[in-house]
Every structure is written in structure tokens, then in C-alpha cells.
Amino acid sequence: MTQPVVVFVDLDGTIMVNPFERAVWPALLGDIAARAGQPLEAVREAVEAEYALRQADAAYPPLRAMDWDDIAQTVAGRWGMTVEGSAEALVRQYAASHSNVLPGAEAALRDLAAAHRALVVATKGLAKYQQPVLDALGLTPLFSAVLTPDSHNGLKRDRRFFGAWPEQTQLQIMVGDRYDDDVLYPAGHGFKTVWIPPLESVPTRLHSKDPFARALLYPYADDQPVSADALLLNLSELPDAVRRLEMSILGFTDR
Ligand SMILES: [Mg+2]
């Protein structure tokens, strides 16, 4: 039996920091740069450009679009090289030492644990890069399931990413930090959205408002056509926001 409510939770920048910036990229890109005789920044820009190219192509295979090792090999190939080692191996090596849970995340998730509510990871990162970090940080047991692009061969913009959860539940709530992946696309799938934007983007006059008023009053950019349902300053506000959504839509919650 599936619970009536599913809360999809983004990982990177929402509840954790992965080891890519601190350890994986410096090692992987540093090696390419050294052997290609290129500045590290040039390699990084090439990787980011290749990633952006794949993201912009809706027909690009979702798994290859998110495969950092494939992207790194493609970029290195332009300098006539093959990458030694892999992001996958580096993630495993540095998952425990160079990643962390964001403040308030674990407390919020534990607060939200309830019989009627499934907590499900919804990350755009591939399982091979994300699962080792979830495990190292001890976060895996807090979730009913982990959805990655591998799960259903889709990205968050594709409804199939979310598998059967939307059909099997009455209320779907997406929680995340990225406007496109965590607000725009999930809203398009019919989910309620709880957004945690960069704090500096939230005008201070909105800080004292509640998350639902804030979401209406936030100065969205021209390429942000839909409003989030709730807008958080930090994760300590998450449990109450989820319960208020449940009360307003289903007429019940767990306290
Ligand atoms: Mg994120």
C-alpha cells in the first residue's frame, strides 16, 4: 500500500553538498588540464559547455546527459586524451570526507517521518554519483525510495522520472533549490512545490512573511513563469510548510 502523500526531496543544494566541487572536479579536471597543458579553468569551461549542450537538447539520452565521466571523456578526447580514473571512483573515495548534510536537513526529514507520507529522493544526478554520498552521510534510511535518472530513464522535466508515485498518491510535493528542476517542471506535472532559492535572492522585506505569502510576493525573473507554492529561507520551515499543504489539500496531517 502506498501512502496518500509523497514528498520528493532534491539532494544537491537542498539537503546535502556532494564532493564534486571540493574533491572530484579538482582531481579529475586537474589531471586533464595537466596532461593537456591547459589551464584548469579552460577544462572546467569545456565540461560545463558540454553539459549545457546536452541539457539543451531535449532528445539527448537522459543518462548520457548526466554522465560526468562520459562528459569528461568527450572533452578530454578533443585534446587527444583519455581520462584516467573516473568521477564514479572519486565520488566513492571522497563521499565521506568531502560531502556534508546541510544544516537542519536531517531534523526536518526526521520530523516529517509519518505513516501517511512517503519521503522520496528526487535527484537529477545519476545513481552511481549520488547513492555513495547518501550512504556515506547516513541519509538513505530516511527515505522510502531513491529516484535518479537511472530509475525511469528520464530527467525531472520528464514525468516518467517520478515513476508510479504520482498515480499512486493523492498529493505530490517537490522540495528543492533549483527553479527549473524543482519548481517549473514539477508544477507542470501537477505537483505542489516548495522552493528554497538562494537566500540572497529573497528580499529582506519578505523574510518575516510566511512561506506561502513569500512564494506569492517573490520577484520572479522573466524566465520563471510560475510561482512556487511555498518559499523557504531554510529547512527548519519545511515540516510546517508540508503540513499546511496537506491540511489545505487533503484536510488532514499528522499533528
Ligand atoms: Mg539541487
Side-chain angles (χ1 to χ4, degrees):
M1 192 190 109
T2 308
Q3 297 92 327
V5 179
V6 58
V7 180
F8 297 117
V9 182
D10 174 58
L11 293 184
D12 299 321
T14 299
I15 64 164
M16 71 181 206
V17 177
N18 69 39
F20 272 83
E21 282 304 317
R22 295 171 187 158
V24 175
W25 288 137
L28 201 73
L29 305 187
D31 174 60
I32 298 173
R35 289 191 291 132
Q38 295 288 328
L40 182 62
E41 266 317 296
V43 179
R44 176 185 282 274
E45 281 169 19
V47 163
E48 286 172 357
E50 177 65 22
Y51 173 78
L53 203 69
R54 295 180 182 204
Q55 293 293 312
D57 180 358
Y60 206 91
L63 301 191
R64 283 196 69 199
M66 294 308 301
D67 191 331
W68 294 116
D69 282 309
D70 189 70
I71 290 169
Q73 289 290 4
T74 299
V75 168
R78 294 186 197 134
W79 284 297
M81 305 165 37
T82 49
V83 178
E84 293 169 4
S86 69
E88 183 178 2
L90 289 163
V91 163
R92 290 183 182 280
Q93 183 179 344
Y94 292 110
S97 59
H98 288 68
S99 64
N100 63 277
V101 183
L102 285 169
E106 189 166 344
L109 292 168
R110 289 193 186 282
D111 188 318
L112 283 170
H116 77 282
R117 184 189 297 127
L119 303 180
V120 172
V121 168
T123 174
K124 203 166 79 170
L126 299 182
K128 62 182 177 178
Y129 306 127
Q130 302 295 61
Q131 193 64 57
V133 184
L134 274 175
D135 292 342
L137 294 175
L139 294 172
T140 308
L142 301 177
F143 294 98
S144 300
V146 176
L147 296 176
T148 68
D150 315 68
S151 307
H152 303 287
N153 192 32
L155 304 180
K156 289 183 189 176
R157 65 188 176 208
D158 308 309
R159 193 182 161 96
R160 68 175 181 274
F161 174 97
F162 299 91
W165 287 98
E167 284 69 41
Q168 293 177 348
T169 50
Q170 295 166 49
L171 169 61
Q172 305 81 34
I173 301 171
M174 179 75 215
V175 181
D177 68 310
R178 271 191 66 112
Y179 179 83
D180 53 0
D181 284 328
D182 302 321
V183 177
L184 182 62
Y185 304 141
H189 302 324
F191 307 164
K192 295 297 173 185
T193 59
V194 177
W195 187 30
I196 311 165
L199 188 57
E200 63 273 17
S201 79
V202 185
T204 48
R205 67 188 158 76
L206 298 186
H207 287 204
S208 62
K209 306 282 187 191
D210 78 75
F212 295 85
R214 241 184 249 141
L216 292 172
L217 298 169
Y218 180 83
Y220 295 91
D222 289 343
D223 60 352
Q224 297 179 328
V226 304
S227 300
D229 292 291
L231 192 153
L232 310 186
L233 302 178
N234 60 65
L235 285 168
S236 71
E237 298 180 317
L238 180 62
D240 185 59
V242 167
R243 290 191 173 100
R244 283 184 57 187
L245 283 169
E246 289 175 343
M247 276 307 294
S248 70
I249 290 154
L250 301 176
F252 69 89
T253 185
D254 58 327
R255 67 177 69 152

